[in-house]
Structures are given as structure tokens and as C-alpha cells.
């Protein structure tokens, strides 16, 4: 969440920035009213606490002198009743302020272009040249169905819409892609391979900003009184490893990677990308997460994005890097780069990776800190996350870009070791 001091001391200016960059309307009048009441209650609560302490000492002194303490005790009891009421109301006000703060998006970095939606995104560069085909291009659904590799009907029978069953060599290719990405990030890029829970508690979801704002996009489980959530990305589990921790300077930056299932309800996305595996309720991703010193997070952001780009380059997949505008960034980000891979069947680039610097926004929610060696004091870290990359979309891109006229798929060189050296699947 945003720095509370920013809301308390620069409320009007912050609200204007949110309106101009995020299209977010903060009810400043309601916030100001709550803040004024909080201040008054806090002062009164402290006054009552001090008064109770003073009068309690007076009871002891009166007893020592053999005086009647009943009047003082009645006074202390009255103070206690008012104090309890004041403390209860103060907690209610703080909870209301926290609820408002939890729903406010992060403020974009000054280098982020202004824009209302994806039309305001700015292309940074491209890599690779889209292939020219001398036969009719098939999309990934046609290629998969032709061999019985990709079965949406079976997925729907088992679970409903937006689930898919993969079989045979296509399932193996999917596994090989995830294995290749993990090997690359752990072996060459210096990320620590991590296996994390797929089901997390509400504190973990709140820490990275999924709760309370995006609860409708989440799958949840409940056993007895315990409610838990299926992760929409392993960013949640990886980033929360430092929740309520003070990490030492020598350990930074901490870099983690994990391959996991991801689950998204995709509320509000009906009618978009419903064909095939583009947008599924269950999918797999190799995630990258960094915990960094504040003054190094922008360099770490560039490094992380480059690590994701290397995945696509080693696979020989044309892509472009986009700098997202203020209106298209995620809730927690201060700056985001999207990588979009070329899909021949759509004759366009589609997102396959999103790499974001969240600044101290998530760290403040999680109370994730590092010990500054200069001051010796704990300070908030910066958190970053990125797809390195989405496995299902990488599968689609390989299928379509490496397809042959007979329906077979040539394997990129880096994936052939996972197939015993075979050059194609058919």
C-alpha cells in the first residue's frame, strides 16, 4: 500500500496523481473525515491513559495515608469505561482507514508513459523476424486436435470451460518447456529454484495485493473455519517468503524462481481469448521474483526482464518488449514491461511475460524489510516479479511458429535434449 504519510500530509496532491495516472478516484472528503476523527480519538485516548495512570497512583498514595479511596476508585472506573469506548472506536476508525488504503493502487514511476489503456503502451524493441509460411497456417487448436494432443472437450467434461487436457508428445513438450526455463534461470541467471505451496492463506494474498480488491478473480477453498486461496501465480508464495522478516543487507538481492500451477477465475473476461489455451482457469508458469535494495530495484527490473527475453531468444521466438502505460499497469506495480510473442495464426504479438517493479508497495503490506548497513535500521525492501515465462503460451508459440505443412512440429534446438535428441514431434 501507499505510504500512510503521503495520504496524511499530501492527500489532495496524491488523489490528483491517482486520478491523472490511474483513473482512480479517491474519496478525499471521507478519508479526511476519518483521519480527523482518528487524530482526535488518539489524543483523547492518550489523555485518558495518562489520567488513569495518574489516578491509579493516587489510590496507592491515599491508601498509604489511610484515606478513603472509594471516590478515586469510582473516578478511575469511569475513566476506564470511557477509555475502553475510545479505544474500541479508534480501532474501528483505523480499520476503515486501512480498508481504504488497501484498495488504492500504486503510483506509477515518473518514467511510465501516461495512457488510459493498452493503446498507450510504448514499444521498446523487437527481436527476431516472423517466419513466412508457404502453406496454410494452422492455429494451436488445429495442430493439437489433429493429433489428439490437445483436447478441450475432455477438459470441459472433467472441469468445465477453460480447462484442457494435453496428451502424448504435446504434454511432453509442455513439460520440456517448463524444465528448460527452470534450468536456464537456476543454472545461468542465478535464481534460486524453489518449490512453493499452491494454496495460501489470506495474509499472503493481501501481502501481494490480490486481496481484498481482486477476490472475485481467485479460487478459494474452505475446510471448517479455515479459508485458503489457490495461487494465481507463484509470485504470491515467493514474495511472501520475506513477509514479517528483516533480511540482512548481504543477502540482497534475493532471486527466486519456481514452476507452479496457477489458478485464475478470470472474472470479467468472458468472450476474450476463449479458443484453446490462451486464457485458462488453470495454467503453468515459471515465475521470477526478486527482493532488492530500493536504490537497485530499477536495475534489477531491467535484469529480470532481460532474463525473460533470453528464454524467447533461445527458443527462437520473435517478440517485442512493451513499456506499459499508467492505465494498463497492474495494481501493485510502479513500472511494468510486457514481452509479447509472435503468433502466426493471429498475425500479431500476444503477451507471454509481464515483469513488474512494485517498489515498496507490497513490502509495506507485508512488513518486509532489510537492515540498512549505513543506518543500522530496518527499511522496506523493494519487490519485483515477472513471468519467465508462461508455459502454456510458450507451448502455443512453439507449436505455431515451428509448424510444418504435414502438421508436425519442429523442435527448437534447446528443447531437443528433453526429447532424446529428436528433431520434431508428429
Amino acid at each position: 500500500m501507499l505510504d500512510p504519510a503521503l495520504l496524511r500530509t499530501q492527500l489532495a496532491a496524491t488523489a490528483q496523481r491517482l486520478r491523472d495516472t490511474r483513473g482512480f478516484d479517491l474519496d478525499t472528503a471521507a478519508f479526511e473525515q476519518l483521519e480527523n476523527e482518528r487524530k482526535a480519538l488518539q489524543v483523547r485516548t492518550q489523555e485518558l491513559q495518562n489520567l488513569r495512570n495518574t489516578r491509579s497512583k493516587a489510590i496507592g498514595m491515599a491508601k498509604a495515608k489511610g484515606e478513603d479511596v472509594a471516590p478515586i476508585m469510582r473516578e478511575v472506573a469511569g475513566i476506564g469505561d470511557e477509555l475502553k469506548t475510545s479505544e474500541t472506536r479508534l480501532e474501528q476508525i483505523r480499520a476503515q482507514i486501512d480498508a481504504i488504503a488497501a484498495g488504492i493502487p500504486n503510483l506509477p514511476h515518473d518514467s511510465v508513459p501516461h495512457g488510459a489503456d493498452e493503446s498507450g503502451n510504448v514499444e521498446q524493441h523487437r527481436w527476431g523476424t516472423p517466419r513466412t509460411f508457404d502453406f496454410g497456417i494452422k492455429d494451436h487448436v488445429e495442430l493439437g486436435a489433429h493429433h489428439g494432443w490437445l483436447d478441450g472437450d475432455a477438459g470441459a467434461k472433467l472441469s468445465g470451460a477453460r480447462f484442457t487436457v494435453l496428451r502424448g508428445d504435446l504434454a511432453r513438450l509442455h513439460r520440456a518447456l517448463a524444465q528448460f526455463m527452470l534450468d536456464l534461470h537456476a543454472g545461468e541467471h542465478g535464481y534460486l529454484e524453489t518449490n512453493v505451496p499452491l494454496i495460501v492463506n489470506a495474509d499472503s494474498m493481501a501481502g501481494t495485493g490480490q486481496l481484498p480488491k481482486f477476490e472475485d478473480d481467485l479460487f478459494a477453498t474452505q475446510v471448517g473455519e479455515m479459508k485458503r486461496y489457490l495461487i494465481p501465480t507463484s509470485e504470491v508464495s515467493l514474495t511472501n517468503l520475506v513477509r514479517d522478516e528483516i533480511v540482512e543487507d548481504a543477502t540482497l538481492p534475493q532471486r527466486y524462481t519456481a514452476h507452479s500451477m496457477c489458478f485464475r477465475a478470470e472474472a470479467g473476461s468472458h468472450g476474450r481469448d476463449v479458443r484453446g489455451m490462451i486464457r485458462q482457469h488453470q495454467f503453468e508458469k515459471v515465475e521470477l521474483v526478486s527482493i532488492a535494495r530500493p536504490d537497485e530495484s530499477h536495475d534489477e527490473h531491467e535484469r529480470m526482464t532481460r532474463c525473460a527475453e533470453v528464454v524467447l531468444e533461445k527458443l527462437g521466438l520473435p517478440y517485442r518488449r512493451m513499456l506499459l502505460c499508467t492505465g494498463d499497469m497492474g495494481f501493485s506495480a510502479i513500472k511494468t514491461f510486457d514481452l509479447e510473442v509472435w503468433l502466426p495464426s493471429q498475425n500479431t504479438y500476444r503477451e507471454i511475460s509481464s515483469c513488474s517493479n512494485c517498489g515498496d508497495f507490497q513490502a509495506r503490506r507485508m512488513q518486509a524489510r532489510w537492515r540498512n548497513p549505513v543506518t543500522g535500521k530496518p527499511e522496506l525492501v523493494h519487490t519485483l516479479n515477472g513471468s519467465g515465462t508462461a508455459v502454456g503460451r510458450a507451448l502455443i508459440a512453439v507449436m505455431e511458429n515451428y509448424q510444418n505443412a504435414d502438421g508436425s512440429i519442429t523442435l527448437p534446438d534447446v528443447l531437443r535434449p528433453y526429447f532424446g535428441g529428436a528433431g520434431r514431434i508428429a
Side-chain angles (χ1 to χ4, degrees), residues 17-32:
R17 285 183 64 191
L18 288 166
R19 190 177 301 112
D20 292 344
T21 61
R22 290 287 202 165
F24 180 86
D25 287 321
L26 174 60
D27 189 342
T28 55
F31 187 90
E32 200 163 30

Side-chain angles (χ1 to χ4, degrees), residues 1 35 71 75 104 145 190 213 217 226 230 239 276 280 322 379 399 401 415 420:
M1 60 181 64
E35 183 60 21
E75 182 184 355
I104 300 174
K213 185 174 178 61
D217 288 321
M226 179 61 70
L230 280 67
T239 309
Q280 298 274 278
M322 304 293 292
E379 299 177 13
M399 291 173 70
N401 282 278
L415 297 183

Side-chain angles (χ1 to χ4, degrees), residues 111-115 117-125 320-326 328 336-338 340:
S111 62
V112 174
H114 283 225
D117 52 37
E118 62 183 14
S119 64
N121 297 342
V122 178
E123 183 175 321
Q124 303 286 287
H125 60 249
R320 65 179 184 180
R321 182 201 283 200
M322 304 293 292
L323 172 59
L324 299 196
C325 70
T326 55
D328 199 32
T336 299
F337 292 117
D338 270 8
E340 298 179 347

Side-chain angles (χ1 to χ4, degrees), residues 179-376:
Q179 188 67 54
F180 156 69
M181 293 174 198
L182 278 179
D183 290 344
L184 176 65
H185 294 314
E188 298 183 27
H189 294 160
Y191 288 85
L192 178 65
E193 183 174 348
T194 312
N195 191 290
V196 294
L198 304 182
I199 302 174
V200 298
N201 56 34
D203 287 343
S204 295
M205 284 294 191
T208 46
Q210 278 76 24
L211 288 178
K213 185 174 178 61
F214 301 106
E215 184 157 13
D216 287 346
D217 288 321
L218 304 174
F219 285 105
T221 66
Q222 186 151 352
V223 179
E225 297 299 317
M226 179 61 70
K227 185 175 183 179
R228 294 187 178 92
Y229 297 86
L230 280 67
I231 59 171
T233 162
S234 56
E235 167 206 344
V236 176
S237 302
L238 292 172
T239 309
N240 273 277
L241 290 173
V242 294
R243 173 159 52 91
D244 296 323
E245 300 283 341
I246 300 175
V247 300
E248 294 303 321
D249 176 72
T251 69
L252 298 176
Q254 295 182 9
R255 299 178 179 128
Y256 300 99
T257 186
H259 166 228
S260 77
M261 294 283 189
C262 305
F263 305 89
R264 295 185 186 175
E266 297 288 2
S269 65
H270 300 290
R272 299 175 56 203
D273 305 322
V274 294
R275 180 170 168 80
M277 292 179 59
I278 293 288
R279 193 176 296 272
Q280 298 274 278
H281 289 312
Q282 174 186 307
F283 58 97
E284 295 179 37
K285 235 193 344 167
V286 172
E287 187 74 4
L288 306 175
V289 161
S290 292
I291 312 300
R293 302 177 187 91
D295 62 349
E296 296 175 352
S297 67
H298 288 292
D299 288 340
E300 186 69 15
H301 189 203
E302 288 287 342
R303 182 189 187 278
M304 175 181 285
T305 307
R306 181 62 196 144
C307 290
E309 289 178 338
V310 170
V311 171
L312 301 178
E313 291 174 13
K314 286 184 175 291
L315 290 172
L317 297 173
Y319 70 88
R320 65 179 184 180
R321 182 201 283 200
M322 304 293 292
L323 172 59
L324 299 196
C325 70
T326 55
D328 199 32
M329 286 199 314
F331 178 79
S332 299
I334 61 172
K335 187 173 184 178
T336 299
F337 292 117
D338 270 8
L339 302 183
E340 298 179 347
V341 70
W342 179 256
L343 293 187
S345 69
Q346 299 185 18
N347 196 39
T348 192
Y349 292 92
R350 296 298 301 266
E351 179 201 339
I352 193 171
S353 172
S354 190
C355 298
S356 296
N357 183 357
C358 297
D360 60 12
F361 187 83
Q362 293 177 327
R364 183 171 289 105
R365 300 167 80 107
M366 297 187 299
Q367 280 303 290
R369 295 166 291 172
W370 67 298
R371 194 173 301 282
N372 188 322
V374 176
T375 64

Side-chain angles (χ1 to χ4, degrees), residues 52-233:
R52 182 181 62 177
N53 292 339
T54 300
R55 301 310 289 156
S56 295
K57 290 178 182 178
I59 292 174
M61 294 171 63
K63 283 182 177 180
K65 295 177 181 179
E67 298 174 352
D68 182 11
V69 297
I72 307 176
M73 292 183 69
R74 284 195 296 270
E75 182 184 355
V76 170
I79 293 170
D81 291 341
E82 184 182 352
L83 177 59
K84 183 176 181 180
T85 300
S86 182
E87 287 175 335
T88 300
R89 179 58 182 158
L90 183 58
E91 285 304 309
Q92 292 172 345
I93 293 295
R94 285 173 174 165
Q96 289 178 270
I97 291 174
D98 288 345
I100 293 174
I104 300 174
N106 207 349
L107 289 167
H109 188 262
D110 291 341
S111 62
V112 174
H114 283 225
D117 52 37
E118 62 183 14
S119 64
N121 297 342
V122 178
E123 183 175 321
Q124 303 286 287
H125 60 249
R126 296 189 183 198
W127 183 91
T129 302
R131 174 183 169 190
T132 300
F133 292 84
D134 58 4
F135 57 87
I137 298 171
K138 296 182 176 68
D139 69 7
H140 71 284
V141 178
E142 294 173 293
L143 289 166
H146 180 66
H147 300 286
W149 286 336
L150 188 155
D151 193 339
D153 291 338
K157 180 176 72 172
L158 297 175
S159 303
R162 299 195 184 192
F163 290 90
T164 301
V165 171
L166 300 180
R167 297 190 182 96
D169 281 343
L170 197 62
R172 185 177 181 182
L173 178 56
H174 188 270
R175 172 167 55 87
L177 282 162
Q179 188 67 54
F180 156 69
M181 293 174 198
L182 278 179
D183 290 344
L184 176 65
H185 294 314
E188 298 183 27
H189 294 160
Y191 288 85
L192 178 65
E193 183 174 348
T194 312
N195 191 290
V196 294
L198 304 182
I199 302 174
V200 298
N201 56 34
D203 287 343
S204 295
M205 284 294 191
T208 46
Q210 278 76 24
L211 288 178
K213 185 174 178 61
F214 301 106
E215 184 157 13
D216 287 346
D217 288 321
L218 304 174
F219 285 105
T221 66
Q222 186 151 352
V223 179
E225 297 299 317
M226 179 61 70
K227 185 175 183 179
R228 294 187 178 92
Y229 297 86
L230 280 67
I231 59 171
T233 162

